[in-house]
Amino acid sequence: MNHAPGRFQHEFIRAIYGVGDSDASLEKLTSQPSFKVYRNTVLKASVDALAANYPTIVRLVGEEWFRSAALIHARAEPPESVCLIEYGLGFADFLSAFGPAAELPYLGDVARLDRFWTECHIAADEEPLEAAMLAALGEVDLLQSALRPRASVRWHWCANHSAYAIWQANREQGELADELNWDGEGALLSRVDGQVVWQAASLGMCGFLDACAAGDDLQASTTKAVDAEPGLDVARFLGTQIRAEAFASPFMPTR
């Protein structure tokens, strides 16, 4: 074979995952029985990783359905890292567009919460904001300060489905409520004392976190939260987020 190492690796991976037509010069290699065994082993490892990273989806759809869908995804989007706990970044989007999942329109959003759990779990450590830090600021400095979400925090608002209720019940292996809110709901996930925890999040809370992540100061972030959810108890929801260790130390925006 006259392949450069980089091209050979690229074509070899394409052959393993069945992406397009195999390079003709690899035919002797890919036609060997041992290659097929290797291919099956690699594909199984990818599917196993997706199953480990998306346990709620497995519980919702069953092992057989999940593994069939995961195999299609794995062939389309092979792992890019040897650290398979990170694998599956695009799986939620895949499920949202996957024809056989059309009767489960919430599946993609539920998968996003599984993904967020993993991201919270593996995120870098940061010291959380304590309420006393805000209390020590004067009124002007407080309103002009910005709260930066910690690396180990994720949130999501689902406007059309009870994704959080479905995810929570299945993640905790509990029972779903008889009545679900199909008008939209949100979730806040964070890591506290080394453990990923979760709670429901309102539209205003999610809007506030979006604004904080964009670098808005406290006054602007609060305004956006109240605009999204009129009548929001700002002090209460801010306290809830501080207890969830959602923020790192405050800083003064430069703009």
Side-chain angles (χ1 to χ4, degrees), residues 67-150:
R67 297 189 75 84
S68 296
L71 181 58
I72 295 171
H73 175 73
R75 283 174 167 158
E77 295 186 29
E80 296 182 354
S81 169
V82 296
C83 185
L84 290 180
I85 194 173
E86 299 175 358
Y87 180 46
L89 178 61
F91 192 55
D93 289 339
F94 165 79
L95 289 175
S96 293
F98 190 44
E103 295 183 359
L104 303 173
Y106 51 82
L107 209 59
D109 282 306
V110 173
R112 286 182 182 89
L113 296 179
D114 264 349
R115 176 68 189 183
F116 286 169
W117 188 99
T118 297
E119 291 178 356
C120 289
H121 177 65
I122 66 177
D125 286 325
E126 288 182 293
E127 287 297 319
L129 169 70
E130 296 181 3
M133 296 180 185
L134 294 183
L137 297 175
E139 182 178 353
V140 174
D141 286 343
L142 177 62
L143 293 176
Q144 293 181 351
S145 66
L147 302 182
R148 179 175 57 82
R150 296 171 71 213

Side-chain angles (χ1 to χ4, degrees), residues 6 9 20 54 58 62 105 128 136 144 146 165 178 192 197 219 253:
Q9 291 173 3
Y54 291 89
V58 177
Q144 293 181 351
D178 293 334
V192 179
V197 297
Q219 185 171 20

Side-chain angles (χ1 to χ4, degrees), residues 86-244:
E86 299 175 358
Y87 180 46
L89 178 61
F91 192 55
D93 289 339
F94 165 79
L95 289 175
S96 293
F98 190 44
E103 295 183 359
L104 303 173
Y106 51 82
L107 209 59
D109 282 306
V110 173
R112 286 182 182 89
L113 296 179
D114 264 349
R115 176 68 189 183
F116 286 169
W117 188 99
T118 297
E119 291 178 356
C120 289
H121 177 65
I122 66 177
D125 286 325
E126 288 182 293
E127 287 297 319
L129 169 70
E130 296 181 3
M133 296 180 185
L134 294 183
L137 297 175
E139 182 178 353
V140 174
D141 286 343
L142 177 62
L143 293 176
Q144 293 181 351
S145 66
L147 302 182
R148 179 175 57 82
R150 296 171 71 213
S152 56
V153 171
R154 295 293 184 274
W155 61 94
H156 180 61
W157 176 258
C158 180
N160 301 313
H161 313 298
S162 299
Y164 173 66
I166 295 170
W167 179 82
Q168 180 187 30
N170 283 277
R171 189 85 194 194
E172 298 173 356
Q173 299 189 9
E175 296 295 329
L176 272 172
D178 293 334
E179 295 291 335
L180 294 178
N181 175 20
W182 294 99
D183 295 328
E185 59 182 20
L188 171 65
L189 287 78
S190 60
R191 194 177 69 226
V192 179
D193 295 331
Q195 300 293 322
V196 179
V197 297
W198 49 83
Q199 60 183 286
S202 69
L203 178 59
M205 183 185 291
C206 291
F208 181 84
L209 288 163
D210 286 338
C212 290
D216 289 353
D217 62 29
L218 185 59
Q219 185 171 20
S221 298
T222 300
T223 298
K224 290 180 179 179
V226 174
D227 287 345
E229 188 179 340
L232 182 68
D233 186 334
V234 175
R236 182 177 180 181
F237 93 85
L238 185 56
T240 297
Q241 292 173 91
I242 291 174
R243 287 191 296 274

